Amino acid sequence: MKVLEVFNSSRVLLDLEVSSRDAVIKELAELLYAQKVITDVKMYVDSVLEREVHSTTGVGNGIAIPHGKSACVNRPAIVFAKMAKSVEWQSLDDKPVDIVVMLAIPDSEKGATHLSLLSEIAVKLMDEDLVEKLKKVTDTNEVVELLS
């Protein structure tokens, strides 16, 4: 499965104004709920936060890639947020996060689908030029073009 199959401009939030990691995750989960990707915001948020307990998804360079695998996810999806102000994420480099790319994966697809999407996103976000473009982007369609 490819990123473009599960990501579109309706899943992009620019200049999101929240003050914490948990608030970012909840805001993005509510977007997934509104699009009927998930059936239960609390259950999905709990799955994402449970993953954060095991190890941070703040990968450094101002980026976090949280992901939740749950029975409440109807189909794989990716949501993107660019923060209005950086938020603390307990990242590997101890720096706050500006860019969040969150994955929602159904329990039934937590193997190959999860790894395929996570790998594709992680490789793209290793490109520092692309990350700088994402931090300056003002158009939701441009985000989709950059990540697809």
Side-chain angles (χ1 to χ4, degrees):
M1 180 167 282
K2 297 288 187 188
V3 167
L4 192 54
E5 296 174 61
V6 298
F7 184 54
N8 60 58
S9 62
S10 73
R11 295 185 181 147
V12 175
L13 297 177
L14 299 178
D15 300 321
L16 180 62
E17 293 190 30
V18 293
S19 59
S20 70
R21 176 196 71 181
D22 292 7
V24 174
I25 292 168
K26 185 167 188 262
E27 190 81 25
L28 293 176
E30 288 175 354
L31 177 62
L32 291 171
Y33 181 77
Q35 295 185 0
K36 302 185 184 335
V37 171
I38 62 173
T39 58
D40 186 316
V41 171
K42 183 181 182 322
M43 179 185 255
Y44 177 70
V45 168
D46 287 349
S47 75
V48 175
L49 294 177
E50 182 181 325
R51 171 60 184 81
E52 292 290 330
V53 168
H54 294 292
S55 66
T56 183
T57 58
V59 296
N61 199 22
I63 300 168
I65 312 174
H67 38 282
K69 295 172 272 185
S70 172
C72 74
V73 179
N74 290 325
R75 59 188 179 279
I78 293 174
V79 288
F80 172 95
K82 182 180 85 168
M83 304 300 111
K85 293 181 181 176
S86 302
V87 296
E88 179 53 47
W89 205 282
Q90 300 177 339
S91 298
L92 296 173
D93 63 359
D94 294 322
K95 294 183 179 171
V97 164
D98 306 297
I99 300 290
V100 176
V101 182
M102 190 164 81
L103 283 68
I105 306 294
D107 262 347
S108 59
E109 298 185 45
K110 62 185 176 184
T113 298
H114 175 234
L115 293 176
S116 171
L117 293 173
L118 186 59
S119 173
E120 186 177 346
I121 287 293
V123 167
K124 288 178 192 280
L125 294 176
M126 291 173 65
D127 180 339
E128 291 189 22
D129 290 339
L130 184 139
V131 171
E132 286 308 310
K133 288 177 184 173
L134 286 172
K135 289 181 179 180
K136 295 175 182 170
V137 72
T138 58
D139 180 87
T140 58
N141 290 318
E142 189 178 351
V143 174
V144 174
E145 288 174 23
L146 289 168
L147 291 178
S148 299

